[in-house]
Each structure stands twice: as structure tokens, then as C-alpha cells.
Amino acid sequence: KPFYNRGFCVENWSRNVDEIGFVCDCPRGFGGIYCQREINECKSEPCQHNGVCSDRGLYFTCGCPPEYTGLYCQHDIDECASYPCEYGRCIDRPGKFTCQCNPGWTGPRCNADIDECRSEPCLLGSKCHDLIDFYRCECLAGWTGVNCDVDINECDSFPCNNGGVCVNEQDRFICICHDNFEGERCQDRKRLPDYLCRNGETNFEEEELDGID
């Protein structure tokens, strides 16, 4: 019987006048009454995601785009498998990835530290030190606070003695002393002028002269 491509033919016992007297069992890749026709394996478009199909006779191959793999280009390549996000979470997407950065980091791969000092948060001439997701201000003398905008009250330590009144100023204080005291902290008693002293004595304290005519 006539057949091609090693088709296996058997006699058709159920034929009628319109049928041929045999049938062919064709090997993979061939078809037709006599197995004479090569089947195009790419006709069914088996390659997914725009993969390019190549008919190889008995089989086919798919040329996949870079972001896909598999016999039919059916598998999305996991772009996060290489851990591309240094300081963030990788989100895999078809053909690409995106990085969700941790606080304080930026950039396509979360590897650029955000400079928190760029906005100049430190005031009154203080120096800014950039940290991860924060900053630290090095304040000038007399100032405190996160941004060095709080004046330190030097009077909080009650530096003035003997009832002196403290006046706070930037990076210093002034003591206003009562009449009988003097010194930076009102720590010294005032000494009387010599002409107020008797019998050649000096340095009478003012309260000792109470009652003197």
C-alpha cells in the first residue's frame, strides 16, 4: 500500500464504496491519508508571551523574551531572586521588578541614603549630622532641642546666691544682687568705704553700722 514517512498502514475493513481500502497510523509530526503531509507544530501557536515558535519537524521550540522561560515561555522569571533591592523589599512584576525602600533609603535599588540634612533642619548656626532615617543637630552653646531652637535657661540651676535675682541671656546669666552683696553670683558681701569706719578699723559690714549717728 502507498504510504510515506514510515506510516503504519492497515486494511480498512469498514470501508464503503467511497472509502479507500486502508488507513495509515502516522508518526508524530506527519498527517494526511498517506502520512505525506508534515504537520506544522507552530500552527497552534504554542509559545506564550510573544515567544517565537520554530518548527523542528517532529517538535517545536520557543524563543522566549528575556523575562520569560519554560517550554512554552509560560513562566515569568523571578527578577527578585537575585535580591536586587539592598535596603528594601523587592516586588516581582512581569518582566521587571520594583523596590519598596525602607525608611531613610531611596533609588531604584534602595541603595541611596536620603540626606535628612538637605532641608537644613538645624537652626541658629548649628551643625547637622545625617543619620539613617533621621539627623542629629550639634547645637551651639546656650541652645538645645532637636533643631537647636530652644534657649537653655541658665537660671534653672539657681546660680545667684543671697537672694540675687537671675536674668537669663543667651549662653549666660546675670545676677542682680541685693545692696549688701556683690560678685558674679552675689556671693560676696560688700565692704564699706574706709571713711565710714571708726577707730582705724576697716571693712565693717553694713548691718553692723545700724544705729550709728
Side-chain angles (χ1 to χ4, degrees):
K1 307 298 182 184
F3 61 92
Y4 301 91
N5 299 307
R6 299 183 180 182
F8 180 76
C9 293
V10 294
E11 191 161 353
N12 185 5
W13 296 100
S14 62
R15 69 182 183 276
N16 53 42
V17 294
D18 296 322
E19 294 178 331
I20 60 176
F22 62 91
V23 293
C24 288
D25 185 13
C26 302
R28 179 178 176 180
F30 295 94
I33 296 177
Y34 305 105
C35 301
Q36 78 282 8
R37 177 172 54 82
E38 181 180 352
I39 296 175
N40 184 356
E41 303 290 341
C42 292
K43 186 176 182 179
S44 62
E45 300 180 351
C47 302
Q48 303 175 24
H49 300 112
N50 296 319
V52 178
C53 184
S54 298
D55 182 31
R56 305 295 184 183
L58 299 181
Y59 63 97
F60 67 91
T61 59
C62 289
C64 302
E67 60 268 24
Y68 291 97
T69 187
L71 178 62
Y72 305 100
C73 305
Q74 74 274 27
H75 297 306
D76 175 32
I77 293 177
D78 185 5
E79 282 80 10
C80 291
S82 61
Y83 302 101
C85 306
E86 293 191 35
Y87 297 99
R89 184 171 69 92
C90 183
I91 301 174
D92 183 43
R93 303 186 186 279
K96 61 180 181 179
F97 67 91
T98 57
C99 290
Q100 189 176 70
C101 299
N102 296 333
W105 296 94
T106 187
R109 295 179 180 267
C110 299
N111 56 359
D113 176 28
I114 295 175
D115 185 4
E116 282 79 13
C117 289
R118 187 174 182 181
S119 61
E120 300 180 353
C122 302
L123 306 176
L124 301 170
S126 56
K127 184 177 181 180
C128 184
H129 298 276
D130 180 43
L131 306 175
I132 300 300
D133 194 31
F134 199 62
Y135 60 90
R136 179 177 62 84
C137 292
E138 184 178 337
C139 302
L140 298 178
W143 296 96
T144 187
V146 175
N147 295 326
C148 300
D149 56 349
V150 178
D151 178 27
I152 295 175
N153 189 349
E154 282 77 13
C155 291
D156 284 345
S157 61
F158 303 102
C160 303
N161 301 314
N162 299 306
V165 177
C166 182
V167 178
N168 178 59
E169 295 190 355
Q170 183 178 342
D171 194 28
R172 68 179 191 136
F173 64 90
I174 296 175
C175 289
I176 301 176
C177 305
H178 290 298
D179 292 342
N180 297 341
F181 296 93
E182 62 184 359
E184 181 182 0
R185 297 175 180 264
C186 304
Q187 71 276 13
D188 300 322
R189 286 185 177 273
K190 286 185 178 179
R191 305 172 86 79
L192 292 175
D194 289 343
Y195 70 86
L196 293 178
C197 298
R198 298 181 300 177
N199 302 322
E201 296 177 353
T202 59
N203 300 331
F204 278 86
E205 294 181 355
E206 189 170 325
E207 66 262 26
E208 295 176 5
L209 297 180
D210 289 346
I212 296 179
D213 295 331

